[in-house]
């Protein structure tokens, strides 16, 4: 199964299901977007990025979708595993270089 | 391991005191960023340095200051500490000032009592 919707602060999924984490960004001038994963007690780690001239980018088990019309970004995780449990942040960048982070979504994977 | 080193990992101090947090960026990275993360909060951008010069400023309080030294390490100074300053302070680095991918350290957890 999948969970899709507006930005939620928490998301709980069964192991093996697909996860979708949403993010709304605010700056129309943002041209580069990144998803970070923050595990408990650690700093954020890069997962995947996308530039504004693209609407989809795929990595290993992860896909990022960008909808510039509604300023919306999503991260899809296929076959979610317990190790995916973490807080996920989207970040938007303008050409000034500053990364602005979203509020974060806590993903919990149930065995 | 991101290659970014932060010290100390934990720090407990009293209100009114001053502390210094230290960050060594990844080898070769010229840009250093400081972020504050309060409990259950997102990451708030404080300040960015590139090759020793301040490049961008976020919501950094006047009681806080930072600098980047010639060897590219950076320090964040927090003074006249208040209870609300208790947070995780992250340093991140990148190669260029406009590089979006940031490499984060493990953070310094500051507790103000």
């Amino acid at each position: 199964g999948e969970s899709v919707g507006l930005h939620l602060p928490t998301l709980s999924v069964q192991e093996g299901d697909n996860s979708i984490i949403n993010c709304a960004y605010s700056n129309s001038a943002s041209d580069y977007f990144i998803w970070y994963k923050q595990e408990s007690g650690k700093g954020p780690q890069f997962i995947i990025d996308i530039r504004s001239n693209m609407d989809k980018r795929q990595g290993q088990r992860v896909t990022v979708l960008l909808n510039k019309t509604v300023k919306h970004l999503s991260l899809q995780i296929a076959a979610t595993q317990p190790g995916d449990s973490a807080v996920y942040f989207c970040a938007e960048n303008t050409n000034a270089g500053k990364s602005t982070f979203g509020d974060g979504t806590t993903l919990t994977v149930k065995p | 391991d991101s290659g970014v080193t932060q010290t100390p990992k934990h720090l407990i101090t009293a209100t009114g005191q001053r502390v210094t947090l230290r960050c060594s960026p990844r080898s070769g990275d010229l840009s250093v960023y400081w972020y504050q993360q309060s409990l259950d909060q997102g990451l708030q951008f404080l300040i960015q340095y590139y090759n020793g010069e301040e490049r961008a400023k976020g919501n950094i309080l006047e009681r806080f200051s930072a600098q980047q030294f010639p060897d590219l390490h950076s320090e964040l100074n927090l003074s006249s500490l208040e209870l609300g300053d208790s947070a995780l302070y992250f340093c991140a680095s990148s190669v260029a000032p406009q590089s979006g991918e940031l490499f984060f350290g493990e953070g310094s957890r500051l507790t103000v009592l």
Side-chain angles (χ1 to χ4, degrees):
Chain A
E2 299 179 1
S3 296
V4 181
L6 299 176
H7 171 257
L8 299 170
T10 61
L11 178 64
S12 183
V13 301
Q14 288 293 140
E15 182 178 356
D17 285 355
N18 297 330
S19 304
I20 298 181
I21 300 170
N22 296 302
C23 175
Y25 65 93
S26 56
N27 190 345
S28 300
S30 295
D31 57 3
Y32 181 51
F33 304 87
I34 304 177
W35 281 99
Y36 288 89
K37 173 186 180 183
Q38 185 178 19
E39 295 177 272
S40 181
K42 296 188 176 181
Q45 287 182 295
F46 172 91
I47 302 174
I48 191 167
D49 59 359
I50 189 167
R51 297 209 171 270
S52 59
N53 60 352
M54 304 170 69
D55 53 22
K56 180 178 180 179
R57 187 154 191 234
Q58 287 185 289
Q60 188 176 16
R61 281 202 308 119
V62 293
T63 300
V64 55
L65 299 178
L66 175 62
N67 184 332
K68 295 181 288 294
T69 303
V70 295
K71 293 190 285 188
H72 182 267
L73 199 62
S74 69
L75 176 71
Q76 301 178 7
I77 305 174
T80 314
Q81 302 168 0
D84 296 326
S85 293
V87 180
Y88 290 82
F89 292 97
C90 65
E92 56 181 302
N93 286 45
T94 64
N95 58 15
K98 185 180 79 173
S99 290
T100 301
F101 284 76
D103 291 336
T105 294
T106 300
L107 175 65
T108 302
V109 181
K110 297 178 287 187
Chain B
D1 182 5
S2 67
V4 177
T5 304
Q6 288 187 248
T7 57
K9 290 194 185 323
H10 302 276
L11 190 56
I12 301 175
T13 189
T15 54
Q17 295 298 305
R18 171 190 168 95
V19 298
T20 297
L21 309 180
R22 194 178 192 278
C23 171
S24 294
R26 279 191 331 156
S27 177
D29 284 358
L30 299 179
S31 202
V32 169
Y33 308 73
W34 286 97
Y35 283 84
Q36 180 192 56
Q37 186 175 43
S38 302
L39 190 64
D40 296 331
Q41 297 280 318
L43 289 148
Q44 299 298 316
F45 171 72
L46 296 178
I47 198 164
Q48 178 200 359
Y49 283 83
Y50 176 71
N51 205 20
E53 298 291 324
E54 181 184 305
R55 177 167 172 84
K57 214 167 187 175
N59 299 323
I60 187 167
L61 299 172
E62 286 190 10
R63 300 184 286 109
F64 296 180
S65 64
Q67 54 183 330
Q68 185 179 28
F69 295 87
D71 68 352
L72 301 177
H73 92 270
S74 179
E75 293 181 355
L76 178 66
N77 301 297
L78 315 174
S79 62
S80 302
L81 285 168
E82 302 175 359
L83 296 177
D85 297 328
S86 296
L88 263 171
Y89 291 85
F90 285 104
C91 171
S93 72
S94 65
V95 173
Q98 295 176 359
S99 173
E101 181 179 353
L102 303 180
F103 295 87
F104 283 83
E106 302 262 300
S108 292
R109 181 174 292 281
L110 172 66
T111 302
V112 182
L113 301 176

